[in-house]
Amino acid sequence: MSNEEVVVLSVGGVRYVTRASTLQQFPESRLARMLNHDEPEFKLVNGEFFVDRDGALFSYIMDFLRTLQVSLPTDFSDYQRLRREAEFYGLHPLADLLSQEHLLKPRLEILEVRFSLQEMQAFFRVFGSCSTTVEALAEQITVFTGQQPGQSWSSPFPSQKTLVPVPLERPSHHDVVFQCGTEYSAGDQFVARYVSIKPDNRKLINGTNVLGLLFDTLLKDGFRLLSARTVSSEEKVECYSFERMKRPAGLTVTVNQTPGSSGVAQARGGQKQKGK
């Protein structure tokens, strides 16, 4: 059978259409041997290969053959059954990846926002259990500062004077600190700090507005608000806790394109790799 020929499979009553080359990714697998009619258990009926196996789980088998990655939904739980299916089809690299279940399971992320209003300024501290998430959030947030004559806390928009971006405080890899608002300087001058959070283009000075924009950003990124509490009534410190289930990067397999090779499982994320 040529690599470009279309193959139709009926797996447990679920119909799949693919190319022969996809099923031949692993020459030693039963799916590859099926195309040469070397697998009597896979019966050819009216031009379709009939396979008496789990039709729903076979969608993950096909996804692996097409991408050479294992990328499962966050609510997936049938790791053992899928591994059993992979072993049945002779896809041992896939079975090896599925044995690394701890790397495939989604992980719970916790993120905490502390917010404090003090006179004309608002202070923010964001702590996250995942340092890469905090790093990504820090790249979205920019604080701009500048001298403003007679600028007041209630003015939501910056004047036409040039504002200078200032770096955020990073006490550790797991948290980021920034502030907005105004404070007195010499004479009738104010030092104003505005906050911008990508992809929103606004520069906001009011702490409540910044808090709302930060909430919107987190909710759009898959977090959900768990709780809100007052940490210190005297200092007016409020604490908001968020959580989300983060899907892990798909594990990939490297296919060594040499005669008789069936692939080597690799516990790494990213795109598929093909070695020579």
Side-chain angles (χ1 to χ4, degrees):
M1 180 174 287
S2 71
N3 288 348
E4 297 305 311
E5 270 191 76
V6 173
V7 181
V8 180
L9 301 95
S10 177
V11 184
V14 182
R15 195 168 182 265
Y16 292 90
V17 180
T18 187
R19 292 186 183 276
S21 57
T22 301
L23 300 176
Q24 292 167 341
Q25 284 276 26
F26 299 89
E28 295 179 357
S29 71
R30 298 185 75 180
L31 290 169
R33 296 200 305 268
M34 173 190 73
L35 300 181
N36 298 324
H37 304 283
D38 292 337
E39 286 290 337
E41 190 173 344
F42 295 23
K43 303 202 178 288
L44 189 60
V45 180
N46 297 327
E48 299 184 6
F49 287 99
F50 175 76
V51 189
D52 190 17
R53 301 295 294 188
D54 191 304
L57 288 180
F58 192 72
S59 65
Y60 301 113
I61 301 288
M62 285 302 307
D63 183 59
F64 172 74
L65 290 173
R66 288 166 175 153
T67 66
L68 298 184
Q69 285 193 344
V70 181
S71 194
L72 302 172
T74 54
D75 60 349
F76 187 81
S77 59
D78 289 335
Y79 294 94
Q80 292 185 354
R81 290 180 61 212
L82 183 55
R83 184 180 179 186
R84 188 166 62 242
E85 293 299 295
E87 290 172 345
F88 169 80
Y89 291 109
L91 295 170
H92 302 298
L94 174 57
D96 290 343
L97 290 180
L98 290 168
S99 69
Q100 303 176 69
E101 185 179 329
H102 64 290
L103 296 177
L104 288 166
K105 284 185 174 181
R107 57 183 176 179
L108 179 65
E109 281 192 53
I110 301 296
L111 191 139
E112 182 181 276
V113 176
R114 293 204 172 201
F115 171 68
S116 174
L117 275 176
Q118 299 179 15
E119 297 182 353
M120 296 185 296
Q121 298 183 82
F123 298 85
F124 296 82
R125 186 176 194 130
V126 182
F127 175 86
S129 60
C130 178
S131 61
T132 55
T133 297
V134 176
E135 182 68 33
L137 182 62
E139 291 178 358
Q140 292 179 260
I141 301 173
T142 306
V143 177
F144 297 88
T145 186
Q147 291 277 342
Q148 306 293 331
Q151 187 76 21
S152 69
W153 164 257
S154 61
S155 179
F157 303 110
S159 71
Q160 298 302 314
K161 288 192 175 183
T162 302
L163 296 178
V164 179
V166 294
L168 304 179
E169 293 182 48
R170 296 296 308 277
S172 75
H173 293 297
H174 288 273
D175 55 355
V176 58
V177 176
F178 61 95
Q179 66 187 85
C180 66
T182 59
E183 60 181 338
Y184 289 106
S185 182
D188 62 348
Q189 298 287 311
F190 287 84
V191 174
R193 291 183 180 86
Y194 298 84
V195 172
S196 176
I197 305 178
K198 297 176 182 177
D200 196 292
N201 294 321
R202 292 173 298 169
K203 296 181 178 67
L204 303 177
I205 195 171
N206 184 283
T208 303
N209 293 341
V210 174
L211 183 66
L213 180 56
L214 179 59
F215 275 24
D216 286 344
T217 302
L218 295 174
L219 294 174
K220 289 177 181 177
D221 203 27
F223 283 96
R224 69 183 185 95
L225 181 62
L226 281 180
S227 64
R229 68 184 191 278
T230 300
V231 178
S232 171
S233 56
E234 294 181 359
E235 298 179 0
K236 299 181 181 179
V237 179
E238 300 171 359
C239 179
Y240 302 88
S241 298
F242 296 81
E243 74 168 15
R244 74 172 175 182
M245 295 299 292
K246 187 176 181 182
R247 178 194 242 173
L251 298 186
T252 65
V253 65
T254 298
V255 176
N256 296 313
Q257 295 177 329
T258 56
S261 174
S262 61
V264 179
Q266 301 285 340
R268 66 175 69 175
Q271 299 298 316
K272 67 178 181 181
Q273 301 181 5
K274 288 193 176 183
K276 295 181 180 179

